[in-house]
Amino acid sequence: MMANSRYFYCLFLMNSLINVINFAPRELIDARFDGAQSSILIAVGTGTLFIYLFTRVINKFPGQGLPEIFASALPKLLASPLIFIYAFLWYMAGALIMLSFVDITQRFISPDTGPYAVLFGFLTVVCLCTRIDSLSLLYGLEVTLGITLPLILYTTVKAVLNPDFSWDAVLQIMTHSLHAPDMNSLAAATFTFSGYINLAIFNRVFHGLKLKHLWILSLEGLLVLALTFFVPIGYHGTVGIERHVYTWFTTADSIRIEAFLIERMLYIFYFAYITLSLVSAIIQWHVGKELLLSLLPTTTGAPKKKLWQEIIILVLFASGAFVLLQLDQYNLNMLGVFLLHIRWYGELLLILLLFWCYWIVRRRRA
């Protein structure tokens, strides 16, 4: 069975929504007086261009993932290290999402629970689900978005319409919109559009992906970035916002729901985002696992051998997450910013590599 094109939009939407709670908001707000807004506008154009180029070229390889494409066009001595590096980047993306939520859970939900216990719970869910096949993961992602998206929209509308929201603070920040772009902000903002890159593996279940109305992705990305940036500033002020680490969670914690069983918006927001974040980590680790499996001996007709390969990879993934848990918040944030930059350059390199592979394959057929 092949996946419908709408699942591509699910991958994009998942990644753009995750942008609200990861390292991107912190980087944008840190540069609120120094180019964050111009960086957002440039990121929308750059991200849309990357989506167009990547989907255009990967459509030339229907039903093939990155390992199959590289194997058909590149020498093994070049293809294997590239696949390993990209697998590591996907692994780090999923691990950082989980580590961020370990910290968020301890800060806002359960301060008395140890970080290792929280991470063990997350890893149990993620490692078990990472082994699910790609098409089933896309089905699960669609269901997850159907549950979480209304909750996220409700939180957003409630925040913007709240009388405590200061439009004066937003207008004051907008007076700095002509400042030259900031590289950290640009790298962070382009992450909103990076959901397309998961086609490196999920293209195996697409056949003839057709993207219509690309401007919708641009508009959605711009809207998410604008809300990510302006809403916390409207609540905490142009100066006060710098004292908050997880700006959207402190914003949700300041919103009260009248006439409802749950008075604090924080719990609804946390439920929506922990669900979405775990699914995102599952997607990231699934891609990383599949990339690494392609480097190991083939297991066609040997399901037990493949099972052991997957178990070894996931044990290594989980062990690495426990090692990364030793990092304090400052070093974790620095690592996240570094990976945002590496990811951006890695996406550009991957697009160029795919065009090179297509040129080689086409020349061989001529």
Side-chain angles (χ1 to χ4, degrees):
M1 291 182 65
M2 289 294 173
N4 191 287
S5 295
R6 72 176 185 273
Y7 291 109
F8 172 81
Y9 295 92
C10 290
L11 288 170
F12 175 84
L13 185 59
M14 173 200 71
N15 200 83
S16 63
L17 291 175
I18 286 297
N19 194 59
V20 172
I21 55 99
N22 222 353
F23 302 101
R26 184 70 267 163
E27 294 307 308
L28 290 173
I29 288 170
D30 284 346
R32 61 195 181 281
F33 301 120
D34 302 308
Q37 294 164 88
S38 57
S39 299
I40 288 174
L41 295 177
I42 293 173
V44 172
T46 305
T48 305
L49 178 63
F50 277 22
I51 292 173
Y52 173 77
L53 293 175
F54 185 86
T55 53
R56 188 73 182 268
V57 69
I58 207 166
N59 268 339
K60 307 296 184 181
F61 303 95
Q64 296 184 53
L66 201 60
E68 293 83 12
I69 297 172
F70 280 3
S72 67
L74 299 178
K76 191 172 183 179
L77 288 176
L78 177 60
S80 296
L82 284 171
I83 289 175
F84 181 81
I85 291 170
Y86 278 110
F88 178 75
L89 290 177
W90 259 286
Y91 161 72
M92 289 299 297
L96 289 176
I97 288 172
M98 282 190 285
L99 292 174
S100 296
F101 248 90
V102 169
D103 193 23
I104 289 168
T105 302
Q106 285 198 291
R107 284 173 179 267
F108 295 97
I109 304 298
S110 182
D112 297 328
T113 305
Y116 291 99
V118 178
L119 181 59
F120 180 79
F122 291 168
L123 286 172
T124 301
V125 175
V126 172
C127 289
L128 287 175
C129 296
T130 298
R131 294 190 60 249
I132 298 174
D133 65 274
S134 299
L135 192 58
S136 297
L137 285 179
L138 290 177
Y139 294 155
L141 173 60
E142 185 179 36
V143 172
T144 302
L145 286 172
I147 296 171
T148 58
L149 187 58
L151 298 177
I152 294 170
L153 289 174
Y154 175 70
T155 304
T156 305
V157 171
K158 191 77 173 174
V160 174
L161 298 181
N162 196 296
D164 294 328
F165 186 87
S166 173
W167 288 100
D168 289 338
V170 173
L171 293 173
Q172 183 180 350
I173 285 293
M174 290 183 71
T175 61
H176 299 270
S177 58
L178 297 180
H179 199 285
D182 170 72
M183 282 305 298
N184 282 351
S185 299
L186 188 58
T190 52
F191 178 70
T192 300
F193 297 86
S194 293
Y196 72 90
I197 206 73
N198 290 310
L199 286 179
I201 286 298
F202 284 93
N203 193 56
R204 290 171 174 174
V205 296
F206 286 96
H207 191 84
L209 175 65
K210 295 180 181 179
L211 281 186
K212 298 180 180 179
H213 311 301
L214 190 61
W215 62 270
I216 295 177
L217 300 182
S218 302
L219 183 62
E220 194 271 346
L222 177 61
L223 182 61
V224 168
L225 284 169
L227 290 172
T228 300
F229 180 67
F230 287 117
V231 171
I233 290 173
Y235 262 89
H236 304 290
T238 58
V239 177
I241 189 63
E242 67 186 15
R243 293 194 291 266
H244 300 278
V245 179
Y246 301 104
T247 54
W248 263 89
F249 277 90
T250 52
T251 299
D253 200 20
S254 62
I255 301 174
R256 180 174 174 267
I257 308 175
E258 300 84 3
F260 191 63
L261 294 175
I262 302 174
E263 184 179 9
R264 296 172 68 188
M265 178 65 77
L266 173 66
Y267 294 118
I268 293 178
F269 191 73
Y270 177 82
F271 169 77
Y273 263 98
I274 193 173
T275 305
L276 194 60
S277 294
L278 289 178
V279 172
S280 177
I282 290 166
I283 296 288
Q284 307 285 359
W285 278 19
H286 176 76
V287 175
K289 180 207 70 173
E290 291 295 320
L291 290 175
L292 290 179
L293 281 176
S294 70
L295 300 177
L296 300 176
T298 181
T299 57
T300 305
K304 287 187 177 180
K305 186 177 179 181
K306 182 181 179 181
L307 173 61
W308 278 108
Q309 288 180 350
E310 289 181 331
I311 289 174
I312 291 171
I313 290 172
L314 293 175
V315 167
L316 291 174
F317 279 9
S319 301
F322 277 110
V323 171
L324 290 172
L325 193 59
Q326 309 298 319
L327 296 176
D328 57 26
Q329 186 186 81
Y330 175 78
N331 288 320
L332 186 63
N333 186 71
M334 292 297 293
L335 178 60
V337 174
F338 174 73
L339 286 171
L340 284 175
H341 283 276
I342 297 298
R343 170 209 55 83
W344 192 31
Y345 302 130
E347 288 180 19
L348 177 59
L349 175 62
L350 183 56
I351 292 171
L352 295 175
L353 284 170
L354 287 175
F355 273 104
W356 175 254
C357 291
Y358 174 62
W359 182 78
I360 291 176
V361 171
R362 188 176 180 181
R363 190 179 64 173
R364 287 175 182 171
R365 293 172 181 171

